[in-house]
Amino acid sequence: MRECSNLRIHPSTGGNDTTRNLMTGGVVALNQFSDEYKKLAANPTLIETMVPEIVRWQTPISHMARTAKKDTRVGNVMLKAGGCVALWYISGNRDPDATDMPEAFIIDRKNPRQHLSFGFGIHHCVGYRLAELQLKIAWEEIMRRFRSVEVVGEPQRVCSNIIHGFTDLTVRLHSK
Ligand code: HEM
């Protein structure tokens, strides 16, 4: 199988839309789940497990797709050559059979890297360690400088079925 031509957008997306929206998504998540923010303030070393949880909870790329080169069976479904399959990472990341309480943002999950946000198989994201590192450093610096980042306006979202992100988020920074 290969990627559908209309979805060959990743080179400009990797490490840009993705990590940027993860920084915003993390702020939104911690404000929605304020007990998790308290947990983080009490123990900033939880950034380590919080980072992959942000990646799962936000899922900055909602889906990618594959085109069958030949007739292929996937589970009980027969795919004709040329048929396209959307891989909804965002849906898999909300699967209660795979993640306990998947809608919840929990910064100290036991297996936080068990998610589909970076894809799966031979095309699994090659930049995932860099993405995690960027997010880790961003949160270490935020926690060092600010008591909290408070969301004070309704998050404005990107209108896209591929990029799951934000155009605007108004926040108030509370210094230590
Ligand atoms: C949180 C940030 C990121 C997310 C959510 C993400 C997501 C993904 C996903 C879902 C794929 C699989 C595409 C597919 O199966 O067709 C992928 C592949 C890839 N990513 Fe990322 N990515 C991120 C950051 C980065 C960064 C920082 C880089 C580069 C430094 C990068 C480079 C790549 C490349 C080159 C591939 C293609 C790998 C291949 O086809 O073998 N990504 N990424």
Side-chain angles (χ1 to χ4, degrees), residues 3 10 14-15 18-19 22 55 60-61 64-66 87 89 116-120 122-128 130-131 134:
E3 279 174 90
H10 191 62
T18 50
T19 38
L22 284 175
V55 180
I61 299 178
M64 286 209 174
R66 296 288 185 276
L87 315 169
Y89 308 132
L116 296 172
S117 297
F118 292 121
F120 188 83
I122 59 165
H123 291 290
H124 184 274
C125 178
V126 291
Y128 85 102
L130 176 62
Q134 282 180 350

Side-chain angles (χ1 to χ4, degrees), residues 45-57:
T45 66
L46 289 176
I47 287 172
E48 206 67 49
T49 45
M50 177 179 80
V51 162
E53 174 67 350
I54 294 174
V55 180
R56 181 195 71 85
W57 192 83

Side-chain angles (χ1 to χ4, degrees), residues 16-17 28 37 64 73 93 95 101-102 132 142 150 165-167 172:
N16 178 4
D17 287 313
V28 170
Y37 213 156
M64 286 209 174
R73 175 179 291 283
N93 282 345
D95 180 354
M101 298 200 296
E132 287 188 346
I142 291 169
E150 182 192 1
F166 305 88
T167 55
R172 184 173 295 132

